[in-house]
Amino acid sequence: MFRIMVVEDEEKIREELKNLLERYGYQVQALNDFHEAAGQIIAARPHLVLLDINLPEYDGYVLCRQIRQQSSVPIIMVTSRDSDVDELMSMNLGADDFITKPYHVQILLAHIQAILKRTYHEDQGRLLEANGVLLDLGRGSAAYRGQSVELTKNEMRILGLLMRKQGTIVSRDEIMTDLWQSEEFVDDNTLTVNINRLRRKLESIGVPQDYLSTKRGLGYMI
């Protein structure tokens, strides 16, 4: 599930936009405290930022520049201003797209979908996400709320399998069969050791203890 950060100071518009995006299957975080906004956005690790130009403390141009100094996350500038100068400034500061209010809902969604597809197409299948935890199969790491930890091959395969089957119980036999496909020797005791190590690593980056739950006599579940 893609995560979108909405940066909009008008509460009504912010909530409407949040509800709209959630109805279309996005995970949405709406910023309502604009103090050190760039740091908050980067720490949240969104896949895309919807950034209004008219903001308290710093305008969207300043915030866009601050984000770009630390992150390449896609940014769509959303504003009531409608001039070529505003669009040019946005692009020069590193924004990926520009859309003006009032916008047609389907046009906004099309802009979002196009940028997400273009940006993350190469990573499809290599990035998995479940309940806020992001698994990067290419780097062999898990991330949560701005913190990350490296995983072993077995830990990565276990977490990946559970993420792909999020919401369902995965039996120990199924996990061991999946690990055997990687030509790793795994018996029942080895699996328990790997599960426990994976839990400790996830907890070390702030993931709740009950994220990976044991269903006694059945298996494991996210």
Side-chain angles (χ1 to χ4, degrees):
M1 182 186 295
F2 286 112
R3 299 186 307 280
I4 297 179
M5 172 70 77
V6 173
V7 186
E8 163 65 61
D9 64 323
E10 293 188 31
E11 184 177 359
K12 182 179 179 181
I13 296 176
R14 184 170 66 235
E15 290 304 310
E16 288 177 350
L17 193 52
K18 182 176 184 293
N19 293 335
L20 167 71
L21 294 172
E22 287 177 341
R23 288 201 304 272
Y24 280 85
Y26 295 108
Q27 182 179 336
V28 184
Q29 183 174 347
L31 202 68
N32 51 28
D33 175 7
F34 299 93
H35 181 63
E36 297 184 353
Q40 293 185 64
I41 292 167
I42 292 165
R45 298 175 65 89
H47 292 103
L48 182 144
V49 178
L50 289 179
L51 177 59
D52 189 41
I53 290 180
N54 295 317
L55 294 171
E57 294 197 28
Y58 300 104
D59 66 22
Y61 295 134
V62 174
L63 191 50
C64 181
R65 184 169 60 246
Q66 291 175 339
I67 295 169
R68 272 293 165 266
Q69 291 172 350
Q70 305 177 63
S71 172
S72 59
V73 61
I75 298 172
I76 298 179
M77 304 295 280
V78 184
T79 178
S80 56
R81 302 182 186 181
D82 184 13
S83 75
D84 292 339
V85 173
D86 289 313
E87 184 171 0
L88 181 61
M89 283 187 63
S90 298
M91 298 307 176
N92 285 341
L93 289 170
D96 297 85
D97 203 353
F98 182 95
I99 190 166
T100 58
K101 305 173 186 174
Y103 45 75
H104 190 286
V105 166
Q106 295 302 324
I107 292 177
L108 174 64
L109 291 169
H111 279 249
I112 291 171
Q113 291 166 5
I115 287 185
L116 290 174
K117 183 177 181 180
R118 183 172 70 241
T119 305
Y120 299 103
H121 176 73
E122 294 180 356
D123 290 329
Q124 286 181 352
R126 300 183 64 196
L127 291 175
L128 298 175
E129 190 275 339
N131 296 339
V133 176
L134 185 68
L135 174 62
D136 189 328
L137 297 171
R139 297 181 179 179
S141 64
Y144 182 73
R145 294 186 177 179
Q147 299 187 68
S148 63
V149 63
E150 292 186 4
L151 304 178
T152 66
K153 184 162 60 175
N154 280 352
E155 292 163 353
M156 188 169 60
R157 289 185 71 93
I158 292 168
L159 183 56
L161 177 61
L162 293 172
M163 282 183 162
R164 291 186 183 96
K165 299 200 171 188
Q166 180 183 1
T168 62
I169 297 172
V170 182
S171 69
R172 292 177 65 88
D173 286 343
E174 185 176 353
I175 296 174
M176 286 191 287
T177 298
D178 185 75
L179 292 175
W180 267 104
Q181 293 174 2
S182 66
E183 299 183 351
E184 292 284 338
F185 176 74
V186 179
D187 58 18
D188 198 65
N189 184 61
T190 305
L191 176 59
T192 300
V193 171
N194 277 271
I195 289 285
N196 289 338
R197 286 177 177 169
L198 175 59
R199 277 200 176 108
R200 287 196 295 271
K201 285 188 177 181
L202 292 176
E203 289 173 13
S204 75
I205 58 172
V207 178
Q209 291 183 353
D210 60 354
Y211 176 81
L212 198 169
S213 61
T214 300
K215 302 300 179 183
R216 193 168 299 278
L218 297 174
Y220 303 95
M221 178 179 177
I222 290 178

